[in-house]
Amino acid sequence: MTSSTHLKTRGRATAELEGGYRRMMLPAVFAVGLFAIIPLAGMLALSFSDYHLLRGTNWEFGLKNFVRLASDKRLMNSVYAMAILSFFGVATQVLIGAAIAVGLSKIVGRWRLGRVLFLLPYAVPHVAVALIWLSLFTPTLSPINAFFDIFGITVPSFLTTKNGALFAIVMADTWTNFPFTMLIILAALQGISPDLEEAAALDGATRVKTFFYITLPLLIPAFLMVTLFRFIDSLKHFPMIFVMTKGGPGRSTQATNYYAYIQTFQNSNVAYGAAIAVTLFVVAAFISFYVAKLNQRVTS
Amino acid sequence: MKKFLSTLFSATVLAGVVSTSSVVNAADELNVVMFGMPYTKGLAALADDFEAKTGIKANIDVIGQDVFENRITLSFTGKSGDIDVVHTPVIQVQRWVSAGWLKPITAEVDAMAVKSDIMAGPLDAYKINGEQWAVPYMAATGLMTYRKDILEEAGVEVPQTWEDMLSVAAKIHNDDTAAIAMRAVPGQGFNMFIFPMVMRAYGGKFFEDYTGGDLTPAINSPETLEALNVYMKLLNDYGPQGAGNFNFAEVQAAAQNGQIAFAVEGTGIAASLVDPEKSKFADKTGITLPPAGPAGRSPAIAVHGLGIPASAKNPELSAKFIEWAVSTETMTKIALAQPFSNFTTQPVAQNEEVVAKYSKVHPDFLTVQAEALNLAIGHYRPLLPEWPALGQAIGENINAALNGLSSPEEALEAAEQEMRDILGN
């Protein structure tokens, strides 16, 4: 009897506590609803509509925009550009970020403050980053070209070739975003107990072996997380392209997000632009879900 | 349901705006949104003048052109009414009018005393379906600058035609100083502001008969192909390294650093190249009309003006602001304070100080500019609501050919096909 009363009281207390927690979540739910769900729902509605800035709308809803997506060569071109920019951009950012993080984690004493220097590129606004790299890659303005000119070496013009322009954007993107990957990996490195490395050393493991068999496996969740964050962000390529190439040469650097912008704002085709954006969102959500699952499996 | 959806659409479009200031207007306050140019900067600096004269406070927001286009599209589609006067480029006005974004202001403009002082051509450019939609403040045109010393040394004359330009360029081009640079990045305001000067000189055209109303795309013609070959040869063989990705800023910098002999550019950039305060080569630089072709000379033209959004809450105040902004007095002040010579309020050109200022920049400047404006055709770039889309598509194909991603023939064929797709015929 006593124990059942006790259980009941405890149940009520838990319920009350949970109710309290739920109420505490209300502002967050409201904010997410207002700033994420409603615009998303609107975008979804738009993507099925025929809304055009010039022609208005006949209130016809259907799959027309999505059917068009499947046969749109310019979209395929943009997906290719985006895939190249995302793959090489994220891969370089993670590798460089990890390498610098490992280096910095070994630094002790007052030199540790030097870390701040590596964070600086992350603080520069993207348009400014794009302008810096635009001038570095413009042969008539670039100090790099001027330097090699002294020795009679002509540095090729990157922004006028397809692969060169993609490379230039990857460079700019890497420069401004590697501090983010570095920071996360550095934090993960510092979370690894030094006892593990000491134990390995006592067992006679070399430093290289310790790194590959102890440190690296423990960093995998951090790697997965930064890759995911950077990947999602890389689908939103815009300022670098807008400032450095305007999507050129031709349409070589017109990544999907930039193409959606052209459809919406230049071609006034809001519904089709929304369909592109929705598709991008679905792809990003699908990949995020998959990576999150993978992360769960790794950590458990 | 429809109302809900329409609100939702607007809300969605608006959700994209991060920086839209939703200033609630006081009765005697105006929000003016413009993008950065000498005139707009000059006007922003005179906001206090307007307040002193009328008691109305004007919040003049001068933003980047890219941000501007998104900002106003979002404000207009959302009908937020947060803009009272808007910078209206003539190249956009058809699109805005067909989208119902602007308020017709025929009666307001007729009532303005300054109306008779405004150049008729630019004013007419804002007349659509018998209504006036904006008032011009400037008309920029295309000009060519050349390095006198380089031409003298090579013993050649200033080229009068694009053919002459090819042979002169072959003579003067070298590793230190390239012959010529022009805008090349894709976009209706970038390569498609400059390339039509070559295209039209060779008799190329966008449509079968634009003035007669036959809008069948006709860019894939032997004339345009010849022009494209000339444009490509000039930039690829006689342009600076990387010319295929130049925009106006790179052209300007190359000329200011003495890296090119010729620049074919808009008035603003051309003026800066002959201004001793802006370029160390100014005293060696001459200015003239862009070259001619078999079909004559066709300098570019870009008219800018001020309009009133359909959603503006107090159009009377907006009209008052526009009248002040294009008045001879305000224009003269800006022409003196800024590098602003392409005003469309004519009496400004009679002001002695203004004449003295621009003669000092270059003695021929004002006359060459007037001559170019005289030659320019109003529909240099077609005045159609679909132009931004057409210009973007054509510009991308021209740029692809220039950078060797397609042949010029393929580029023009693709451009014409895309024009048909956009226009739906």
Side-chain angles (χ1 to χ4, degrees):
Chain A
M1 187 68 189
T2 341
S3 76
S4 95
T5 320
H6 177 67
L7 267 180
K8 262 187 200 159
T9 328
R10 218 174 64 172
R12 207 179 302 134
T14 318
E16 265 171 27
L17 204 59
E18 271 179 13
Y21 283 146
R22 282 199 194 115
R23 275 194 294 280
M24 278 163 76
M25 276 167 65
L26 275 180
V29 170
F30 178 73
V32 169
L34 191 67
F35 297 114
I37 309 289
I38 293 180
L40 211 61
M43 189 171 76
L44 202 65
L46 265 179
S47 71
F48 288 104
S49 78
D50 59 345
Y51 189 55
H52 189 279
L53 284 181
L54 301 181
R55 295 193 280 271
T57 172
N58 293 321
W59 302 105
E60 285 168 7
F61 289 84
L63 289 169
K64 210 180 93 192
N65 296 317
F66 292 93
V67 172
R68 186 178 156 194
L69 281 178
S71 59
D72 186 351
K73 278 192 203 141
R74 291 184 61 180
L75 178 78
M76 293 307 135
N77 165 72
S78 78
V79 170
Y80 174 79
M82 179 181 70
I84 298 282
L85 291 178
S86 295
F87 177 78
F88 287 102
V90 175
T92 358
Q93 285 154 35
V94 172
L95 285 178
I96 293 181
I100 296 178
V102 169
L104 286 181
S105 69
K106 301 287 174 221
I107 296 174
V108 285
R110 61 181 151 155
W111 290 103
R112 283 164 72 104
L113 281 176
R115 285 174 191 182
V116 178
L117 280 181
F118 285 95
L119 285 177
L120 288 180
Y122 196 55
V124 183
H126 281 185
V127 171
V129 172
L131 282 170
I132 293 170
W133 286 90
L134 172 62
S135 47
L136 287 178
F137 280 113
T138 300
T140 45
L141 299 173
S142 172
I144 302 171
N145 288 62
F147 176 77
F148 282 101
D149 257 0
I150 302 172
F151 308 103
I153 302 166
T154 308
V155 178
S157 156
F158 284 88
L159 296 173
T160 51
T161 64
K162 185 176 180 148
N163 293 335
L166 288 166
F167 169 78
I169 293 173
V170 167
M171 283 287 285
D173 191 42
T174 300
W175 184 76
T176 188
N177 282 313
F178 85 83
F180 172 75
T181 56
M182 181 198 81
L183 208 62
I184 304 284
I185 295 171
L186 189 61
L189 271 171
Q190 283 167 344
I192 297 174
S193 159
D195 300 351
L196 289 172
E197 285 181 18
E198 277 169 29
L202 282 177
D203 287 341
T206 61
R207 285 177 78 168
V208 176
K209 274 200 168 159
T210 313
F211 179 75
F212 280 103
Y213 290 100
I214 308 274
T215 317
L216 210 51
L218 288 170
L219 285 179
I220 285 178
F223 271 116
L224 281 176
M225 197 185 84
V226 282
T227 308
L228 179 64
F229 271 93
R230 286 303 316 137
F231 172 74
I232 293 174
D233 206 37
S234 76
L235 299 181
K236 296 184 275 187
H237 262 299
F238 189 83
M240 308 291 172
I241 300 172
F242 189 85
V243 175
M244 290 173 71
T245 65
K246 297 270 186 293
R251 288 170 180 148
S252 308
T253 54
Q254 220 175 65
T256 308
N257 194 34
Y258 193 82
Y259 178 52
Y261 156 81
I262 287 179
Q263 281 294 353
T264 310
F265 290 100
Q266 299 276 351
N267 298 8
S268 309
N269 213 336
V270 180
Y272 190 57
I276 300 173
V278 166
T279 315
L280 256 185
F281 171 75
V282 171
V283 171
F286 179 77
I287 295 177
S288 311
F289 178 74
Y290 184 74
V291 175
K293 278 222 127 161
L294 194 71
N295 194 13
Q296 230 170 18
R297 208 182 318 152
V298 169
T299 41
S300 66
Chain B
M1 179 66 183
K2 279 185 184 174
K3 196 170 175 209
F4 167 71
L5 278 171
S6 128
T7 319
L8 191 62
F9 282 6
S10 307
T12 307
V13 178
L14 270 177
V17 209
V18 182
S19 59
T20 305
S21 55
S22 48
V23 183
V24 180
N25 298 356
D28 48 359
E29 214 170 279
L30 277 176
N31 291 323
V32 183
V33 177
M34 305 189 288
F35 57 83
M37 299 172 91
Y39 169 83
T40 57
K41 286 176 202 157
L43 193 67
L46 293 176
D48 289 346
D49 269 26
F50 180 65
E51 194 173 354
K53 249 197 184 97
T54 58
I56 305 164
K57 185 171 164 26
N59 306 309
I60 306 180
D61 217 355
V62 179
I63 53 186
Q65 194 169 349
D66 46 331
V67 185
F68 171 84
E69 291 193 10
N70 301 350
R71 162 92 161 83
I72 58 106
T73 305
L74 297 164
S75 164
F76 293 169
T77 48
K79 297 189 176 58
S80 58
D82 62 335
I83 303 178
D84 297 291
V85 175
V86 65
H87 188 157
T88 310
V90 82
I91 214 70
Q92 297 278 6
V93 73
Q94 296 265 353
R95 181 168 168 256
W96 293 4
V97 168
S98 33
W101 291 349
L102 287 180
K103 182 184 152 47
I105 49 171
T106 317
E108 286 86 341
V109 177
D110 283 344
M112 290 179 188
V114 69
K115 189 191 169 191
S116 56
D117 287 337
I118 297 172
M119 285 183 192
L123 189 64
D124 277 350
Y126 286 111
K127 216 171 228 165
I128 301 163
N129 310 330
E131 294 269 18
Q132 189 76 37
W133 299 86
V135 183
Y137 60 81
M138 70 164 264
T141 182
L143 297 171
M144 180 170 83
T145 62
Y146 57 94
R147 283 276 300 276
K148 293 183 273 191
D149 54 329
I150 294 176
L151 298 192
E152 252 165 51
E153 203 179 304
V156 288
E157 295 289 312
V158 178
Q160 292 303 313
T161 66
W162 290 103
E163 283 302 312
D164 292 348
M165 175 65 94
L166 281 170
S167 60
V168 169
K171 280 185 197 134
I172 60 168
H173 181 74
N174 63 50
D175 284 349
D176 294 328
T177 314
I180 183 168
M182 294 183 269
R183 294 182 200 185
V185 286
Q188 67 88 10
F190 309 122
N191 60 353
M192 290 313 289
F193 179 61
I194 299 295
F195 173 69
M197 283 196 256
V198 194
M199 181 181 97
R200 290 193 180 279
Y202 278 89
K205 53 192 180 181
F206 291 103
F207 299 104
E208 282 300 341
D209 185 6
Y210 176 85
T211 39
D214 181 357
L215 294 186
T216 312
I219 200 163
N220 188 13
S221 66
E223 292 84 10
T224 308
L225 181 62
E226 196 179 354
L228 180 55
N229 279 318
V230 170
Y231 173 77
M232 284 169 54
K233 192 167 175 56
L234 284 173
L235 293 186
N236 285 337
D237 295 358
Y238 310 125
Q241 204 200 351
N245 192 52
F246 272 27
N247 203 348
F248 53 85
E250 287 80 22
V251 174
Q252 183 181 33
Q256 283 168 335
N257 295 332
Q259 293 164 309
I260 52 171
F262 291 100
V264 178
E265 253 303 332
T267 331
I269 304 281
S272 73
L273 301 182
V274 289
D275 185 342
E277 282 181 18
K278 303 246 163 60
S279 172
K280 56 185 171 192
F281 295 97
D283 57 335
K284 295 177 182 148
T285 303
I287 193 159
T288 185
L289 296 171
R297 244 185 258 267
S298 185
I301 182 164
V303 179
H304 291 259
L306 297 170
I308 304 178
S311 53
K313 296 200 177 98
N314 198 338
E316 266 170 48
L317 287 191
S318 305
K320 207 179 241 182
F321 178 85
I322 294 178
E323 187 172 17
W324 166 79
V326 300
S327 68
T328 306
E329 191 191 338
T330 308
M331 286 280 204
T332 307
K333 280 186 187 164
I334 301 174
L336 290 173
Q338 297 279 338
F340 174 60
S341 63
N342 35 29
F343 37 80
T344 43
T345 304
Q346 298 177 79
V348 182
Q350 283 141 30
N351 180 293
E352 277 173 23
E353 272 179 89
V354 172
V355 173
K357 177 184 166 181
Y358 292 100
S359 311
K360 211 158 59 186
V361 169
H362 196 278
D364 304 337
F365 187 76
L366 286 180
T367 43
V368 175
Q369 179 185 273
E371 217 177 314
L373 275 173
N374 244 339
L375 286 169
I377 48 170
H379 58 275
Y380 169 77
R381 290 177 287 178
L383 301 172
L384 298 173
E386 292 88 359
W387 168 253
L390 295 170
Q392 177 74 31
I394 302 168
E396 286 168 357
N397 283 296
I398 299 284
N399 179 274
L402 175 67
N403 288 309
L405 297 175
S406 65
S407 71
E409 289 83 0
E410 285 164 351
L412 293 182
E413 204 186 317
E416 191 168 299
Q417 181 56 48
E418 286 170 24
M419 286 177 79
R420 266 186 242 124
D421 293 344
I422 291 165
L423 295 166
N425 57 11

